[in-house]
Amino acid sequence: MTLWPRLTGVKVLFAHDTEVALAAAAALVNTADGDDELLPDVAALDDFVRTWGWTGELRRDEAELRAVRELRPRLRQVWAATEERVVEIVNELLSEANALPQLVRHDTWDYHLHATPPDAPLATRMAVEAAMALVDVVRGKELGRLRTCDFAGCDNVVVDLSKNRSKRYCDGGCGNRAAVAAYRARKAAQA
Ligand SMILES: [Zn+2]
Ligand SMILES: [Zn+2]
């Protein structure tokens, strides 16, 4: 955080890389969608990695896929945990990976933190990136922005980065589903 936003009274929520990392962590958690496995194979993981712009080495094998899947329940816990528990999880993830924060600049990204080398296993890089972002959330007392989707029957996780904390639905289309349901309810009431 620079002095600039404070001087101008503009509240910057998180650094851009933190916001992207939080969104990516939520998207990863949401690939375990009840009985639906949205990372069924290596090709699906490949797609996910490309969509979220992960850099670094990929092994593209079953072991890598399994490790990424196994990370999801650990990250999901963060969305329902007390601050104390989140801190435990974050510290575990960082120490298991021997995380060592370094400022790096690559591709189109200006300086940001990496705390794992690019040849660390993908699941380790994902875990540490999420943990580093969560460090910012905890320090900013913003854990309230990690919630589950309000739509009935959906338990996807949500990262609310909106100014007025108004995000209620996940990015899986529940906002539209809720709007349609509300519309139908109004129609039914009129009939
Ligand atoms: Zn990077
Ligand atoms: Zn949802």
Side-chain angles (χ1 to χ4, degrees), residues 9-170:
V10 176
K11 170 128 167 68
V12 172
L13 194 50
F14 300 116
H16 179 63
D17 58 306
T18 294
E19 299 195 349
V20 172
L22 290 172
L28 177 63
V29 168
N30 292 340
T31 60
D33 188 7
D35 293 335
D36 284 339
E37 174 54 78
L38 303 183
L39 291 179
D41 49 31
V42 171
L45 178 59
D46 224 39
D47 267 356
F48 182 84
V49 163
R50 211 166 326 114
T51 302
W52 288 96
W54 288 97
T55 57
E57 232 165 73
L58 288 181
R59 289 169 47 177
R60 296 191 172 82
D61 60 18
E62 288 298 321
E64 182 175 67
L65 175 63
R66 202 174 324 119
V68 169
R69 283 186 188 157
E70 282 167 5
L71 173 61
R72 297 179 304 193
R74 294 186 75 186
L75 291 181
R76 175 175 269 278
Q77 278 187 59
V78 166
W79 267 260
T82 60
E83 181 183 61
E84 212 177 10
R85 180 67 190 129
V86 172
V87 167
E88 273 174 22
I89 294 167
V90 167
N91 285 344
E92 274 167 24
L93 292 171
L94 292 174
S95 65
E96 276 169 27
N98 292 315
L100 175 67
Q102 298 280 291
L103 280 164
V104 295
R105 190 163 59 174
H106 63 85
D107 299 286
T108 57
W109 290 82
D110 202 349
Y111 282 118
H112 59 286
L113 286 169
H114 278 197
T116 45
D119 60 350
L122 177 63
T124 303
R125 283 180 278 138
M126 287 176 156
V128 168
E129 188 169 300
M132 293 292 288
L134 290 165
V135 163
D136 284 359
V137 178
V138 170
R139 292 171 66 217
K141 290 281 170 200
E142 296 283 5
L143 279 172
R145 292 181 178 273
L146 307 184
R147 296 194 296 271
T148 47
C149 180
D150 264 3
F151 195 70
C154 178
D155 47 31
N156 276 352
V157 298
V158 173
V159 179
D160 183 359
L161 297 172
S162 66
K163 279 202 181 69
N164 52 0
R165 297 168 187 267
S166 57
K167 186 176 166 82
R168 294 172 56 202
Y169 302 110
C170 73

